[in-house]
């Protein structure tokens, strides 16, 4: 559909809400003048952190350059002026939530998490207390549970369900239903001299907006729980004592701050970078005056005491809320800068921001729900749409998962990877909200425990386990988001994940070798080059002939560089490793290493132990290796070359379990590792083979893509070495190597283990001595070489040294290459 036509339809439906038409600048002007740095980037992770504007930073820098700020804990004139600015900032935060200074105080913290932690550690827990929280809560809220359970309090999660409306009216109390989950207790031991249950204090915590689904919670909950908890906590016996209420507004405040003149919460948590991007590392806890008196803070610091004596147990604490709860010198420069962020929000108005972002989120939900594969099946499952009533209570966050035509799921990691290649930044996973994640994905406790036992942890790549997603894709809008952002995202989803009518289902990966009418063993290929990479992720060298060994090419990936934390360094994280060049002289028995950062070349003897200081075992990619450890001289050289402390290790062979056996003999696409392989420090297999013809086809596509975009820049072209192949072959047609099961080069035999799954490393390019991270060629490969979330290019090989008496034999450039359909 034409973009102009689609935008016209969007504006016809949402034109009254979209774009800040009544503000000094409309959305197009805001993007052009305040966020020019975005350009082609589509930023859709405002729930994680929104963006600061150019004028905001300019105003902050002008203030810092023209004003002298001093520590508010001193008595100088400068410090007094700073104290006044901080006082004004506190009032601005209270006004933002319509909180009276007579009822509430603003406590500055190092972030929203620190504010929640402060409540947890200072709350007067007892064995009669209860910590009740909605299952949809951020981990930072769930962490309060540790304080409660440690003091013998009970803790339990609840789900809140709302009944439908009646004739447009609703009795909030009667429409709420609470589903209580298992009560947790860590100790039944009562603390002596505690208050009776009737006087115990309980805490209820809920978010104003769920950061997983975007569902907005009814803020009437604050008043109901405080004034009439028995009305919805109907089980008998229900918790005794009085209730205090905490609202996590870190996400919700960005579009709809809670009105504390109406909803009498005791604690409200705010994060400023989620409001206006800068500063980070600053949050606030808005706390009722009555609640301050009940908090029992243990730690004291310079700013929280009126007097203390060093050598006896004596401390007199300050009585003011801010002074008693803010540890040390507050971040007064950051506090002074929030005024400029609030200025932007107040200029646009929160009501207009809420309507603007809601229009984009509603448009996106509708478009995603309308997507269909060519067979008519739905493509997308959007979370948070359990009832029609909830459709009007969703924030500017859209959480979803995508389905393949066969009903299986696209993994969220695949979506994130492809989105990044398309210049779209979003977030995937559970977003630190395990309760909402389990609820919306339908994951039981046994599912969650099974996933954990399978190795799944936060931020890993295990996006599908036992046929179910372990997380979701999240798109979230901010006040500067545009229709064009949403439109580009939808175009990406359609082109990458929706199967269209008449779309060919035949995959190039399964193209068979043509043998009809020809000699099956007639060679159409020859070996163009041989490349060895002695040190993993460093530069390699080319040779005309080389020895084969039980691990593939002799000395290939036999060394690795490890950081002091134990991380294996690669070009993906340290692109400068490409500047480290290597060469092995077999006649001299020396590994030569050079770096532009090091004056001297490093020479390591292959057979001598002069540099070796010991042997240890280590695990990489679920394989245990016995490795040689080098001394300080070698490690210092590599630390200088890499620009960080590190050490060089050399493989002495596998010391533990090998990888799983490959049971799929028809492995033209998927890669699996043969259990018999002997490996050095390779990710997947002994050898990687690339076809010149396949690279040529890729370059043709890159050129065509550049022409379609109308880009004046020269198209990106890649050579085979960008893929760090061991073997480059010439001849034949592009991609026929995908279907090979075995090959013979001269009289040496190799088994194909399937396609090589490519990653961002092939996008790292050295241009005029400057390492750049590009989107190509991986973005183009993703368009036509993607299978089940993996992008394949080249094939992985295992050297079959046992088939003939060829162990230790030479492989030579120019030798003929014979694809063999099946040797068995």
């Amino acid at each position: 559909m034409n973009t102009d036509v689609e935008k016209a339809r969007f504006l016809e439906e949402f034109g009254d809400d979209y774009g800040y038409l009544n503000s000094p600048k409309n959305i197009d002007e805001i993007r052009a003048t305040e966020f020019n740095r975005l350009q082609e980037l589509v930023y859709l992770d405002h729930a994680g952190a929104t963006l600061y504007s150019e004028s905001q930073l300019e105003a902050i820098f002008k203030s810092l350059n023209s004003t002298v700020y001093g520590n508010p804990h001193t008595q100088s004139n400068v410090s007094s002026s700073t104290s006044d600015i901080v006082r004004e900032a506190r009032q601005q935060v209270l006004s933002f939530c319509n909180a009276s200074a007579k009822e509430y105080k603003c406590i500055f913290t190092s972030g929203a998490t620190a504010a929640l932690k402060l409540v947890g550690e200072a709350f007067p827990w007892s064995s009669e207390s209860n910590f009740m929280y909605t299952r949809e809560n951020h981990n930072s809220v769930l962490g309060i549970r540790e304080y409660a359970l440690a003091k013998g309090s009970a803790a339990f999660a609840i789900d809140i369900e709302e009944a439908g409306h009646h004739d447009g009216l609703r009795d909030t109390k009667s429409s709420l239903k609470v589903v209580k989950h298992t009560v947790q207790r860590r100790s039944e031991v009562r603390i002596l001299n505690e208050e009776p249950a009737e006087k115990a204090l309980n805490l209820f915590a809920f978010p104003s907006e769920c950061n997983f689904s975007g569902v907005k919670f009814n803020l009437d909950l604050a008043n109901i729980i405080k004034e009439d908890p028995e009305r919805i906590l109907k089980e008998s016996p229900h918790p005794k004592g009085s209730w205090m209420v905490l609202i996590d507004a870190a996400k919700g405040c960005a579009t709809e701050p809670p009105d504390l003149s109406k909803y009498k919460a005791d604690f409200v948590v705010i994060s400023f970078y989620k409001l206006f991007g800068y500063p980070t590392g600053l949050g606030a806890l808005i706390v009722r005056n009555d609640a301050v008196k009940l908090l029992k803070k243990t730690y004291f610091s310079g700013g929280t005491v009126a007097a203390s004596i060093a050598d006896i147990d004596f401390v007199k604490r300050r009585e003011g809320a801010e002074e008693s709860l803010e540890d040390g010198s507050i971040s007064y420069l950051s506090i002074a800068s929030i005024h400029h962020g609030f200025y932007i929000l107040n200029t646009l108005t929160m009501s207009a921001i809420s309507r603007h972002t809601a229009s984009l989120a509603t448009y996106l939900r509708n478009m995603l729900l309308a997507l269909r594969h060519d067979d008519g099946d739905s493509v997308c499952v959007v979370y948070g749409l359990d009832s029609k009533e909830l459709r009007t209570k969703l924030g500017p966050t859209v959480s979803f998962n995508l389905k393949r035509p066969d009903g299986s799921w696209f993994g969220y990691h695949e979506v994130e990877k492809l989105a990044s290649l398309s210049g779209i930044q979003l977030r995937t996973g559970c977003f630190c909200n395990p309760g909402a994640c389990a609820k919306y994905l339908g994951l039981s406790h046994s599912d969650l425990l099974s996933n954990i036992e399978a190795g799944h942890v936060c931020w890993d790549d295990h996006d599908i386990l036992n046929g179910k997603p372990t997380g979701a894709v999240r798109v979230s809008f901010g006040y500067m988001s545009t229709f064009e952002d949403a439109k580009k995202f939808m175009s990406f989803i359609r082109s990458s994940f929706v199967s269209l009518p008449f779309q060919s289902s035949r995959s190039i990966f399964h193209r068979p070798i043509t043998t009809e009418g020809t000699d099956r063993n007639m060679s159409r290929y020859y070996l163009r080059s041989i490349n060895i990479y002695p040190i993993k992720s460093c530069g390699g060298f080319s040779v005309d002939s080389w020895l084969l060994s039980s691990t593939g090419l002799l000395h290939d990936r036999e060394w690795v560089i490890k950081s002091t934390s134990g991380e294996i360094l690669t070009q993906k994280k340290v692109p400068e490793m490409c500047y480290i060049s290597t060469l092995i002289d077999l006649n001299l028995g020396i590994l030569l290493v050079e770096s532009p950062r090091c004056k001297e070349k490093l020479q390591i003897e292959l057979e001598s132990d002069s540099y070796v200081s010991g042997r240890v075992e280590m695990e990489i990619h679920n394989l245990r290796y016995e490795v040689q450890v080098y001394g300080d001289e070698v490690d210092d050289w590599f630390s200088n070359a890499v620009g960080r402390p590190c050490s060089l290790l050399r493989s002495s062979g596998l010391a533990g379990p090998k990888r799983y056996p490959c049971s799929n003999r028809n492995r033209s696409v998927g890669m699996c590792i043969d259990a018999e392989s002997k490996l050095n420090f390779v990710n997947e297999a002994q050898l990687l083979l690339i076809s010149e013809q396949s690279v040529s086809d890729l370059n043709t596509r890159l050129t065509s893509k550049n022409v379609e975009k109308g880009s004046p820049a020269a198209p990106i072209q890649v050579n085979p070495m960008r893929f760090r192949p061991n073997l480059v072959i010439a001849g034949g047609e592009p991609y026929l190597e995908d279907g090979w099961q075995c090959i013979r080069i001269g009289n040496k035999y190799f088994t194909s283990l399937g396609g090589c799954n490519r990653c961002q490393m092939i996008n790292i390019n050295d241009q005029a001595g400057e390492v750049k991270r590009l989107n190509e060629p991986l973005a183009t490969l993703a368009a036509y070489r993607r299978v089940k979330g993996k992008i394949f290019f080249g094939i992985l090989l295992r050297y079959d040294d046992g088939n003939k008496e060829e162990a230790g034999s030479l492989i030579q450039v120019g030798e003929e290459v014979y694809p063999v359909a099946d040797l068995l």
Side-chain angles (χ1 to χ4, degrees):
M1 181 185 297
N2 182 280
T3 300
D4 293 337
V5 173
E6 189 161 350
K7 187 169 185 178
R9 292 184 180 179
F10 169 81
L11 292 175
E12 184 178 350
E13 182 175 359
F14 299 106
D16 292 339
D17 297 324
Y18 174 81
Y20 312 113
L21 299 181
N22 297 320
S23 297
K25 291 182 180 180
N26 64 34
I27 184 60
D28 294 329
E29 293 170 326
I30 290 172
R31 281 295 286 265
T33 60
E34 302 286 359
F35 298 93
N36 187 53
R37 65 188 185 276
L38 287 177
Q39 296 188 13
E40 296 300 315
L41 180 68
V42 178
Y43 185 84
L44 297 174
D45 188 23
H46 296 273
T50 199
L51 304 174
Y52 52 80
S53 72
E54 292 180 19
S55 62
Q56 178 187 350
L57 283 194
E58 288 171 359
I60 291 169
F61 292 148
K62 182 178 179 181
S63 175
L64 291 174
N65 286 329
S66 62
T67 306
V68 178
Y69 293 94
N71 191 324
H73 286 173
T74 62
Q75 303 300 313
S76 67
N77 291 337
V78 168
S79 297
S80 296
S81 297
T82 303
S83 295
D84 292 339
I85 292 171
V86 171
R87 191 178 303 112
E88 293 171 3
R90 295 189 200 277
Q91 182 56 52
Q92 198 161 27
V93 173
L94 293 178
S95 298
F96 184 64
C97 293
N98 201 17
S100 168
K102 295 180 179 180
E103 292 184 81
Y104 288 93
K105 293 291 187 291
C106 171
I107 311 299
F108 286 116
T109 63
S110 63
T113 296
L116 293 165
K117 182 173 181 285
L118 175 60
V119 174
E121 67 184 4
F123 194 83
W125 303 107
S126 73
S127 61
E128 298 294 340
S129 298
N130 292 271
F131 176 45
M132 179 173 70
Y133 52 93
T134 54
R135 189 156 58 126
E136 294 175 65
N137 255 311
H138 195 278
N139 267 328
S140 297
V141 176
L142 301 186
I144 294 175
R145 183 176 64 191
E146 295 300 300
Y147 290 105
L149 295 177
K151 291 295 182 67
S153 304
F156 57 92
I158 62 171
D159 282 315
I160 298 176
E161 301 173 359
E162 282 195 64
H165 296 250
H166 301 282
D167 299 324
L169 301 174
R170 179 179 62 175
D171 177 359
T172 301
K173 294 180 182 179
S174 62
S175 69
L176 294 177
K177 177 185 176 183
V178 171
V179 178
K180 184 176 177 181
H181 292 265
T182 305
V183 175
Q184 309 154 58
R185 276 192 183 275
R186 196 163 288 170
S187 173
E188 297 295 336
V189 178
R190 290 177 176 270
I191 301 173
L192 296 178
N193 302 320
E194 281 192 344
E195 296 286 348
E198 289 74 14
K199 294 186 177 182
L201 286 174
N202 307 298
L203 180 64
F204 171 54
F206 71 101
S208 60
E209 181 184 318
C210 174
N211 75 313
F212 184 98
S213 64
V215 169
K216 292 186 176 182
F217 279 74
N218 191 328
L219 297 186
D220 281 335
L221 281 169
N223 294 340
I224 295 170
I225 293 296
K226 286 181 66 66
E227 298 168 4
D228 192 12
E230 293 85 357
R231 187 78 175 266
I232 60 174
L233 298 176
K234 297 177 181 179
E235 77 277 0
S236 182
H238 56 74
K240 303 294 183 181
S242 59
W243 283 89
M244 304 180 79
V245 175
L246 182 155
I247 299 178
D248 176 12
K251 170 63 182 75
C253 265
T255 54
E256 191 175 352
D259 185 344
L260 296 184
S261 69
K262 295 171 56 178
Y263 309 111
K264 302 299 183 180
D266 298 281
F267 310 101
V268 176
V269 173
I270 294 177
S271 175
F272 294 108
Y273 74 86
K274 291 184 186 292
L275 292 177
F276 33 70
Y278 182 90
T280 59
L282 183 69
L285 174 66
I286 299 177
V287 55
R288 285 180 64 88
N289 292 339
D290 292 342
V292 173
K293 301 173 184 177
L294 299 173
L295 298 180
K296 299 178 179 179
K297 198 150 187 309
T298 302
Y299 178 76
F300 70 87
S301 61
T304 59
V305 295
S308 65
I309 299 177
D311 54 351
I312 63 173
D313 183 9
F314 176 85
V315 59
K316 179 177 175 59
R317 298 175 184 269
R318 294 186 183 274
E319 295 182 0
E322 299 93 341
E323 296 170 323
S324 64
L325 295 176
E326 290 174 346
D327 290 326
S329 297
I330 55 179
S331 182
Y332 52 88
L333 294 182
S334 293
I335 293 169
S337 73
I338 66 175
H339 162 76
H340 305 287
F342 277 123
Y343 175 80
I344 294 172
L345 300 187
N346 293 336
T347 300
L348 296 174
T349 74
M350 294 308 297
S351 174
I353 290 172
S354 180
R355 296 195 308 273
H356 172 80
T357 54
S359 69
L360 293 171
T362 302
Y363 164 78
L364 184 61
R365 288 189 196 98
N366 293 341
M367 297 299 287
L368 288 171
L369 290 170
L371 288 177
R372 293 291 184 273
H373 287 300
D374 61 344
D375 60 2
D377 288 345
S378 176
V379 175
C380 187
V381 174
V382 178
Y383 302 114
L385 300 178
D386 296 329
S387 66
K388 292 182 179 179
E389 288 75 25
L390 285 178
R391 286 179 184 266
T392 60
K393 300 180 189 176
L394 291 169
T397 296
V398 184
S399 181
F400 61 93
N401 272 312
L402 301 169
K403 282 193 168 183
R404 303 179 191 275
D406 63 4
S408 63
W409 297 95
F410 286 101
Y412 60 75
H413 181 67
E414 177 180 357
V415 180
E416 183 177 32
K417 179 179 179 180
L418 296 178
S420 180
L421 292 173
S422 299
I424 299 172
Q425 304 302 308
L426 44 75
R427 188 168 173 185
T428 62
C430 279
F431 326 121
C432 298
N433 196 325
C437 190
K439 173 182 176 179
Y440 289 110
L441 299 182
L443 299 174
S444 65
H445 287 165
S446 60
D447 290 330
L448 297 173
L449 292 173
S450 175
N451 291 347
I452 293 170
E453 289 174 1
H456 175 50
V457 295
C458 295
W459 304 342
D460 68 13
D461 297 340
H462 297 308
D463 48 15
I464 304 290
L465 287 174
N466 300 315
K468 293 183 179 180
T470 60
V473 181
R474 186 183 73 184
V475 166
S476 50
F477 297 99
Y479 76 80
M480 72 297 295
S481 297
T482 64
F483 168 79
E484 286 72 23
D485 291 334
K487 178 67 172 61
K488 287 178 182 178
F489 177 73
M490 279 306 307
S491 297
F492 157 71
I493 292 294
R494 289 193 193 97
S495 63
S496 301
F497 302 101
V498 180
S499 67
L500 302 175
F502 312 115
Q503 191 176 55
S504 174
S505 60
R506 186 183 179 209
S507 170
I508 58 172
F509 297 109
H510 295 87
R511 183 185 301 168
I513 298 173
T514 302
T515 58
E516 184 177 350
T518 63
D519 185 342
R520 178 171 173 170
N521 286 323
M522 182 179 294
S523 173
R524 295 169 293 168
Y525 308 89
Y526 67 94
L527 187 58
R528 172 78 79 179
S529 71
I530 303 168
N531 309 286
I532 298 92
Y533 310 89
I535 305 175
K536 182 181 178 69
S537 257
C538 293
F541 61 96
S542 298
V543 293
D544 291 330
S545 63
W546 198 254
L547 285 170
L548 288 163
S549 72
S550 60
T551 58
L553 293 173
L554 184 64
H555 301 309
D556 185 59
R557 274 92 167 186
E558 197 166 303
W559 288 263
V560 73
I561 302 174
K562 180 174 73 82
S563 71
T564 53
S565 65
E567 178 187 21
I568 300 302
L569 300 185
T570 67
Q571 281 190 35
K572 281 188 287 186
K573 295 187 177 181
V574 190
E576 294 77 12
M577 290 176 70
C578 70
Y579 294 136
I580 299 176
S581 62
T582 60
L583 178 66
I584 289 179
D585 189 321
L586 291 178
N587 293 325
L588 296 177
I590 292 176
L591 166 63
L592 299 170
V593 192
E594 291 185 77
S595 167
R597 293 180 174 178
C598 301
K599 294 181 180 179
E600 303 293 333
K601 295 181 182 180
L602 183 64
Q603 296 188 18
I604 298 177
E605 296 182 10
L606 300 179
E607 302 301 328
S608 172
D609 290 339
S610 60
Y611 282 126
V612 177
S613 64
R615 297 176 186 271
V616 297
E617 285 192 6
M618 65 181 298
E619 183 172 322
I620 306 176
H621 301 305
N622 298 319
L623 290 173
R624 291 200 64 79
Y625 291 85
E626 181 181 295
V627 298
Q628 295 177 2
V629 180
Y630 289 88
D632 292 342
E633 184 178 350
V634 171
D635 291 348
D636 289 346
W637 191 97
F638 278 96
S639 296
N640 291 331
V642 173
R644 64 183 70 186
C646 62
S647 56
L648 182 70
L649 304 174
R650 183 182 184 182
S651 173
S652 297
L654 290 172
K658 298 182 177 66
R659 298 186 185 224
Y660 58 88
C662 186
S663 58
N664 175 21
R665 289 183 56 196
N666 298 315
R667 46 193 181 279
S668 56
V669 178
M671 183 279 299
C672 60
I673 298 299
D674 194 316
E676 299 303 317
S677 294
K678 295 180 181 179
L679 305 174
N680 281 331
F681 294 118
V682 292
N683 289 345
E684 298 172 328
Q686 293 178 344
L687 298 147
L688 169 63
L689 180 146
I690 295 291
S691 160
E692 278 191 344
Q693 276 59 42
S694 298
V695 174
S696 177
D697 178 80
L698 169 61
N699 282 325
T700 299
R701 294 171 187 265
L702 288 168
T703 300
S704 175
K705 188 174 183 179
N706 196 66
V707 171
E708 289 175 6
K709 287 184 175 181
S711 174
I716 294 173
Q717 297 286 279
V718 298
N719 61 48
M721 301 314 296
R722 177 74 75 88
F723 301 94
R724 293 176 64 82
N726 293 113
L727 308 176
V728 179
I729 61 169
E733 297 180 16
Y735 312 115
L736 285 183
E737 66 273 12
D738 293 324
W740 299 348
Q741 292 199 9
C742 302
I743 65 172
R744 176 165 60 87
I745 302 177
N747 55 4
K748 278 74 64 179
Y749 288 82
F750 302 83
T751 296
S752 171
L753 301 177
C756 178
N757 180 25
R758 312 311 312 208
C759 66
Q760 292 277 0
M761 190 164 170
I762 65 173
N763 285 345
I764 298 173
N765 189 29
D766 174 18
Q767 296 180 345
E770 181 182 358
V771 177
K772 292 187 176 181
R773 295 179 184 270
L774 309 174
N775 286 335
E776 297 291 3
L778 198 58
T780 295
L781 287 173
Y784 73 107
R785 299 285 300 173
R786 187 171 111 247
V787 175
K788 294 280 186 174
K790 292 180 170 55
I791 302 169
F792 292 100
F793 193 79
I795 61 172
L796 301 167
L797 300 177
R798 181 193 68 209
Y799 172 46
D800 294 330
D801 58 341
N803 287 344
K804 303 282 184 181
E805 295 181 1
E806 300 294 342
S809 62
L810 283 172
I811 186 171
Q812 300 184 58
V813 169
E815 286 188 305
E816 292 182 316
V817 179
Y818 297 90
V820 183
D822 193 346
L823 285 178
L824 299 179

